[in-house]
Amino acid sequence: MKALHPVLIAGIPFDALITEGRSFSADIPEYPVETGYSVSDNISLKPQQVDLTLYITDTPVTWKDRTASMDETIRRIENLYFSRSLVAVVTADKTYSNMGIVNLGIKKSTELGYMKEISISLKEVMTTSSKTAVMPDSYGRSGTTGTNAGSQAVQASSGAQSGGGGENGGNSKSASTLYGIKNAVSSWMNTRGN
């Protein structure tokens, strides 16, 4: 099957892809697991790694109109490595996102002639997102006096959770989450007449 486009690393085209390998690994717990217990939460998947062997030349056969000179390509790929940038890698089979360069090798030999061989290993940087919850003011006060009941920093219920700061956090208020929940349950019980 003929490739429809050259291999691209951060938009840098290469003349030929010689090898492409993907590897996956995981950390498996070494301690005994009780029968019937789901162990999948304890198996930690590591980021995938992609290993490529690429050729570049000043006289490309297939992508002549899309490739730069050897020196320019090497300069650009070295700059990517030293800048520690995350890149996208596009091959004929797959597109990889959020990849960081782990290893970079540039080989010149009499066997290669005027070509240079680029060996590059890239590892995926896995991303996640965080969520925050708003805590109502009623959880931040103690009993009927309304005094501060702890050190958990919160803002008024119309705002977002404070990033910490306690008494010095602007309009944030100190609150003990557990005490506030207990207080709310007690108030609810009192309204039911218990």
Side-chain angles (χ1 to χ4, degrees), residues 6-106:
V7 171
L8 302 172
I9 298 177
I12 303 169
F14 292 85
D15 299 335
L17 171 64
I18 306 307
T19 63
E20 175 183 356
R22 296 168 63 196
S23 58
F24 301 89
S25 60
D27 284 330
I28 306 293
E30 297 183 9
Y31 50 83
V33 177
E34 185 177 338
T35 304
Y37 175 75
S38 174
V39 75
S40 62
D41 289 343
N42 295 324
I43 297 175
S44 176
L45 299 180
K46 294 185 175 180
Q48 70 173 321
Q49 183 165 318
V50 178
D51 300 304
L52 304 172
T53 303
L54 305 156
Y55 280 175
I56 56 173
T57 178
D58 278 328
T59 56
V61 175
T62 50
W63 315 109
K64 186 173 178 64
D65 57 334
R66 298 182 68 173
T67 54
S69 69
M70 273 198 303
D71 293 339
E72 175 67 13
T73 301
I74 290 170
R75 185 188 62 76
R76 289 175 67 190
I77 201 75
E78 285 177 344
N79 285 344
L80 278 179
Y81 172 78
F82 288 114
S83 69
R84 299 184 289 270
S85 302
L86 293 183
V87 300
V89 178
V90 180
T91 67
D93 300 325
K94 191 167 175 58
T95 298
Y96 306 92
S97 301
N98 295 328
M99 304 298 286
I101 300 173
V102 178
N103 291 309
L104 175 64
I106 301 165

Side-chain angles (χ1 to χ4, degrees), residues 91-156:
T91 67
D93 300 325
K94 191 167 175 58
T95 298
Y96 306 92
S97 301
N98 295 328
M99 304 298 286
I101 300 173
V102 178
N103 291 309
L104 175 64
I106 301 165
K107 180 180 177 182
K108 178 181 178 181
S109 70
T110 54
E111 293 174 353
L112 292 172
Y114 294 107
M115 295 186 296
K116 288 189 180 173
E117 180 181 294
I118 308 291
S119 301
I120 187 166
S121 296
L122 303 106
K123 191 173 282 190
E124 179 184 23
V125 175
M126 300 170 85
T127 58
T128 185
S129 60
S130 62
K131 292 185 178 181
T132 58
V134 176
M135 181 182 289
D137 277 344
S138 62
Y139 292 129
R141 297 296 173 179
S142 171
T144 57
T145 63
T147 58
N148 289 337
S151 60
Q152 175 66 36
V154 296
Q155 290 182 347

